[in-house]
Amino acid sequence: ASRIGRGCVIGPQAHLVDALIGDGVTVVASTIVQSLMDDGSRIGPYSRLRPGSRIGREVEIGNFAEVKNTTIGDGTKVHHKSYLGDATIGARVNIGAGTVTCNLRDRTGKKWPTVIEDEAFIGSDTMLIAPVRIGRGATTGAGSVVTKDVPPGAVAVGVPARVIRHTEVGR
């Protein structure tokens, strides 16, 4: 039941199962299962979209990234070695290498959500312990373990992460 739009480059080594692919999408050596990729987006090599993923326009998903049941907004970059599950990610967000949404919260298997608002910058190797919200334009430092919400425009660093600076969003 897959559908592929116009002007796409699919393969080599692409595996699509019930995937909806917009126009101008590139899929290189990656797997897409029961997910949607909108116009102009790119995935791969060696990445995987698991069921329920919705990828916006002009999104870049690089090598060895895994996305499950997550919405990613237009222009966002997830370049490599990251896991994003049960998350809502805004537009023009940078997801640094090694970022993980840690979303299993109890023995019942319930998944808790992670929300990253527009224009946030998630530093490499950040662990986001759900439920958590990263505000618009906020930044996390490399190696941070985020256990509490980060307000819009704030910078949070450390283990556990703490806000060290606030900036005005939109400047």
Side-chain angles (χ1 to χ4, degrees), residues 42-58:
R42 175 181 171 80
I43 184 172
Y46 312 115
S47 289
R48 182 175 179 205
L49 296 184
R50 290 171 53 192
S53 297
R54 293 161 300 286
I55 309 305
R57 294 176 181 198
E58 304 294 328

Side-chain angles (χ1 to χ4, degrees), residues 17-80:
V17 178
D18 300 334
L20 299 176
I21 306 298
D23 295 337
V25 169
T26 300
V27 180
V28 178
S30 295
T31 300
I32 301 174
V33 178
Q34 298 172 355
S35 295
L36 173 138
M37 283 190 74
D38 211 338
D39 298 346
S41 290
R42 175 181 171 80
I43 184 172
Y46 312 115
S47 289
R48 182 175 179 205
L49 296 184
R50 290 171 53 192
S53 297
R54 293 161 300 286
I55 309 305
R57 294 176 181 198
E58 304 294 328
V59 171
E60 297 175 16
I61 299 176
N63 51 319
F64 303 104
E66 182 174 6
V67 178
K68 179 196 71 90
N69 194 37
T70 291
T71 299
I72 298 178
D74 296 347
T76 288
K77 294 175 180 16
V78 183
H79 277 149
H80 47 276

